[in-house]
Amino acid sequence: MEIVAYGVLADEEPLLTEAFRRAFDAEHELRCLSLFLNKDTSPTAADHEVVLSSVNDVLDADVLRALAAGGTRMIAQRATGHNNIDLAAAQELGLTVARVSSYSPYSVAEFAWTLALAVNRRIVRTAHRTREFDFRLDGLMGRDLHGRTAGVVGTGKIGAVFARIAHGFGMRLLGWDIAENPDCLALGLEYVGCERLFAEADLVSLHVPLLPDTHHLVDAKALALMKDDTILVNSSRGGLVDTDALLETLRAGRLSGVGLDVYEEEAGVFFLDKSLEVMTDERLARLMTFSNVLVSSHQAYFTRDAVGQIAETTMANIADHFAGRSSDNTLVRSAAA
């Protein structure tokens, strides 16, 4: 059987194919495609029982119907997030859907800190200047994070690692989540409401999933509560931040720095080379004009360790499908599975 994977990145493909070989040897074949799965590309999945999707594929009801009609029975998402998949439609169509419920939390937490430190110490501007042999320090002043307050929004595995690093910096810790994490409490983290966290934190880092209740969690009201010199980092899901409200806040000269590894309209842009095209997304283009904003292209998870774990778990999910099993990674299980 040939299995097809969509949105496969060049550095990801060797890890994915090696994990596939170890799991299935020559029993099945894996076809890796760089194109993303959407309404226009869904015909390429015809006659493939198993499809490996990426977080930026568009798996709405129309696409899922096309996949089911073409013979697809299982979608293996190579990510933790699954807001790009219409799970209700998948259930109705009898499709099995699985995800990678966890992988190295250090990859994302460390990258979130990379963004925070980069915007705080103006690293991008420094790099651009020194490449042109401009060694002035004007406009490059940052501030110590030691003794300041880190607000960790979401204290699951990734948020807990972020908090541990903040503790290492000697920061006061505030957290918000629906459930308290004992590991975070042991660090001295104090759980508070979102409003207090936004108002008191010098650094706010987002580590919650994108759900109806968390969509635009950071909206105009939340941004208004933040200090003028707050640093905001989002390495979770773009939809957590209201981009229009963020732009208004930045235009008003507020926020010391913003690090965004995700963007609410990133599908069709991130992971692609748009350098020879006109950027038609005016909001994204406007974000790029602010010298205190650093945007990266959803790369926080992109370490050899994390991608290798994602590949291994994806293969285990496929093996479970063939064996008629489900696991904690199963989001939807078809009646026939």
Side-chain angles (χ1 to χ4, degrees):
M1 176 188 299
E2 183 179 72
I3 294 170
V4 61
Y6 290 89
V8 179
L9 306 175
D11 291 333
E12 175 192 14
E13 185 170 351
L15 297 173
L16 196 62
T17 54
E18 176 59 22
F20 188 88
R21 184 195 63 78
R22 286 196 299 269
F24 302 111
D25 197 13
E27 184 180 0
H28 303 295
E29 295 181 7
L30 178 66
R31 182 184 180 198
C32 292
L33 302 177
S34 60
L35 58 86
F36 292 106
L37 183 55
N38 53 41
K39 185 176 180 180
D40 294 330
T41 61
S42 59
T44 61
D47 300 322
H48 290 89
E49 179 179 339
V50 178
V51 167
L52 276 60
S53 59
S54 71
V55 72
N56 274 347
D57 292 328
V58 179
L59 296 169
D60 58 20
D62 289 339
V63 172
L64 293 177
R65 277 192 288 269
L67 294 178
T72 297
R73 294 293 173 264
M74 194 253 184
I75 296 167
Q77 174 96 326
R78 305 189 316 279
T80 299
H82 52 84
N83 52 286
N84 60 318
I85 306 174
D86 188 331
L87 297 181
Q91 182 79 59
E92 181 181 335
L93 292 164
L95 297 172
T96 294
V97 182
R99 63 165 178 165
V100 177
S101 57
S102 65
Y103 53 87
S104 168
Y106 305 101
S107 60
V108 179
E110 290 172 4
F111 193 83
W113 267 106
T114 300
L115 291 176
L117 294 172
V119 297
N120 179 42
R121 301 306 299 269
R122 315 296 191 238
I123 296 300
V124 175
R125 180 183 291 183
T126 298
H128 288 163
R129 281 189 185 180
T130 55
R131 281 183 179 275
E132 297 178 355
F133 302 103
D134 179 353
F135 299 104
R136 293 173 299 161
L137 297 182
D138 298 346
L140 301 182
M141 183 174 285
R143 55 180 170 160
D144 290 359
L145 294 176
H146 176 85
R148 289 189 161 85
T149 300
V152 187
V153 182
T155 57
K157 293 181 180 179
I158 296 172
V161 173
F162 186 91
R164 196 176 309 140
I165 297 171
H167 182 262
F169 273 93
M171 300 187 76
R172 171 186 175 229
L173 299 176
L174 296 180
W176 176 85
D177 208 323
I178 57 175
E180 296 184 354
N181 186 331
D183 292 337
C184 291
L185 290 171
L187 296 173
L189 181 144
E190 179 185 359
Y191 281 93
V192 297
C194 261
E195 291 189 357
R196 181 181 165 192
L197 185 150
F198 291 144
E200 296 186 15
D202 299 290
L203 165 61
V204 175
S205 190
L206 308 180
H207 302 286
V208 292
L210 181 59
L211 303 168
D213 288 344
T214 60
H215 181 255
H216 285 182
L217 179 67
V218 178
D219 57 9
K221 180 181 177 182
L223 290 163
L225 289 169
M226 295 181 191
K227 304 174 185 178
D228 288 349
D229 59 356
T230 294
I231 294 171
L232 173 64
V233 174
N234 186 10
S235 58
S236 185
R237 288 292 178 267
L240 298 176
V241 177
D242 182 337
T243 306
D244 290 328
L246 177 60
L247 286 168
E248 287 297 324
T249 301
L250 291 166
R251 275 196 290 263
R254 300 185 61 246
L255 300 185
S256 173
V258 178
L260 302 175
D261 186 52
V262 288
Y263 169 63
E264 58 182 326
E265 301 295 336
E266 69 182 57
V269 179
F270 282 17
F271 303 146
L272 300 173
D273 182 1
K274 296 288 185 179
S275 61
L276 300 179
E277 302 177 22
V278 174
M279 177 49 64
T280 57
D281 187 326
E282 294 183 1
R283 295 189 299 171
L284 180 57
R286 195 169 301 169
L287 278 172
M288 300 290 197
T289 66
F290 293 95
S291 62
N292 61 335
V293 175
L294 174 56
V295 178
S296 53
S297 53
H298 207 139
Q299 73 179 83
Y301 79 99
F302 205 55
T303 67
R304 178 174 295 275
D305 308 84
V307 174
Q309 291 169 15
I310 289 169
E312 293 289 347
T313 302
T314 300
M315 300 314 149
N317 290 340
I318 296 171
D320 284 343
H321 167 71
F322 288 144
R325 298 186 299 258
S326 61
S327 71
D328 292 341
N329 296 321
T330 306
L331 296 170
V332 176
R333 186 183 183 193
S334 69

